[in-house]
Amino acid sequence: DAKTTQPTSMDCAEGRAANLPCNHSTISGNEYVYWYRQIHSQGPQYIIHGLKNNETNEMASLIITEDRKSSTLILPHATLRDTAVYYCIVRFILTGGGNKLTFGTGTQLKVEL
Amino acid sequence: KAGVTQTPRYLIKTRGQQVTLSCSPISGHRSVSWYQQTPGQGLQFLFEYFSETQRNKGNFPGRFSGRQFSNSRSEMNVSTLELGDSALYLCASSLGGLAGSYEQYFGPGTRLTVT
């Protein structure tokens, strides 16, 4: 799986958009970008994933650059409950299955009043 | 739909003992993965089971083992516990199809303390 680089920490004001960047310059054509978050002492929570097109769901939007070397997770209106560690993961999907997530150190997002 | 459940939630064991942790996946999910989380090493993949077969394995010693039952429930066993095995053990389930992308859903974890 390709390596990812994320800032160690970010702050965001409540109600504003939180934009979390991720660099994955060595990504290959058949690797997906996944985002998870982990609120203190809980299990990680799936947020969104994409291959090359931008994606949006009820939680967030994922913007992947055209060359796929980086992506941004956008929380449109951050709340205090969005304070968590956010993990960007690049995963190769093997034909025949296989489920292994390689977590990095992630970005600690702190949402403040 | 009920989420992933793990039992027990907290456990205290002594060095040299063994422990078994249990995970019940989301109904309909056939893949169960296990992860270990420690402050020093972060989240690390242990292994994955699909249809009662181990499909992937991380870089952990043989003291860590697992199995999956026909109803997709999974157990993880750690023998000859060491102090360094103190961690949060997380289980994740997914549909686990043969191809394509699919998200994993994590349980709340079992907090194991080895004294």
Side-chain angles (χ1 to χ4, degrees), chain B residues 92-107:
Chain B
S93 80
S94 74
L95 290 170
L98 293 180
S101 68
Y102 35 85
E103 55 266 30
Q104 293 186 45
Y105 295 89
F106 284 79

Side-chain angles (χ1 to χ4, degrees), chain A residues 32 34 36 38 41-46 49 87 91 93-101 103-104, chain B residues 31 33 35 37 43 45 48 55-56 88 90 94 97-104 106-108 111:
Chain A
Y32 286 75
Y34 280 74
Y36 282 77
Q38 187 174 26
S41 295
Q42 297 181 22
Q45 178 188 24
Y46 165 81
H49 74 279
Y87 296 99
R91 190 162 76 86
I93 306 296
L94 294 166
T95 300
N99 228 341
K100 172 186 171 183
L101 296 176
F103 288 83
Chain B
S31 166
S33 298
Y35 295 80
Q37 186 171 29
L43 267 158
F45 173 79
E48 180 207 5
R55 187 160 69 172
N56 281 295
L88 180 67
L90 292 156
S94 74
L98 293 180
S101 68
Y102 35 85
E103 55 266 30
Q104 293 186 45
F106 284 79
R111 172 74 62 185

Side-chain angles (χ1 to χ4, degrees), chain A residues 6 9 15 27 32 50 73-74 88-89 91 95 97 100 109:
Chain A
Q6 298 177 253
S9 64
I27 194 170
Y32 286 75
L73 178 75
I74 301 172
C88 168
I89 299 162
R91 190 162 76 86
T95 300
K100 172 186 171 183
L109 175 67

Side-chain angles (χ1 to χ4, degrees), chain B residues 41-109:
Chain B
Q41 299 296 319
L43 267 158
Q44 292 185 287
F45 173 79
L46 279 156
F47 30 65
E48 180 207 5
Y49 286 86
F50 178 77
S51 292
E52 302 178 65
T53 301
Q54 189 179 86
R55 187 160 69 172
N56 281 295
K57 190 175 189 309
N59 191 25
F60 277 81
R63 298 185 298 106
F64 292 82
S65 63
R67 60 177 174 168
Q68 187 181 33
F69 302 96
S70 58
N71 61 359
S72 293
R73 191 177 68 85
S74 176
E75 287 182 348
M76 189 195 113
N77 186 75
V78 186
S79 62
T80 320
L81 283 166
E82 301 176 359
L83 294 178
D85 297 332
S86 295
L88 180 67
Y89 289 89
L90 292 156
C91 161
S93 80
S94 74
L95 290 170
L98 293 180
S101 68
Y102 35 85
E103 55 266 30
Q104 293 186 45
Y105 295 89
F106 284 79

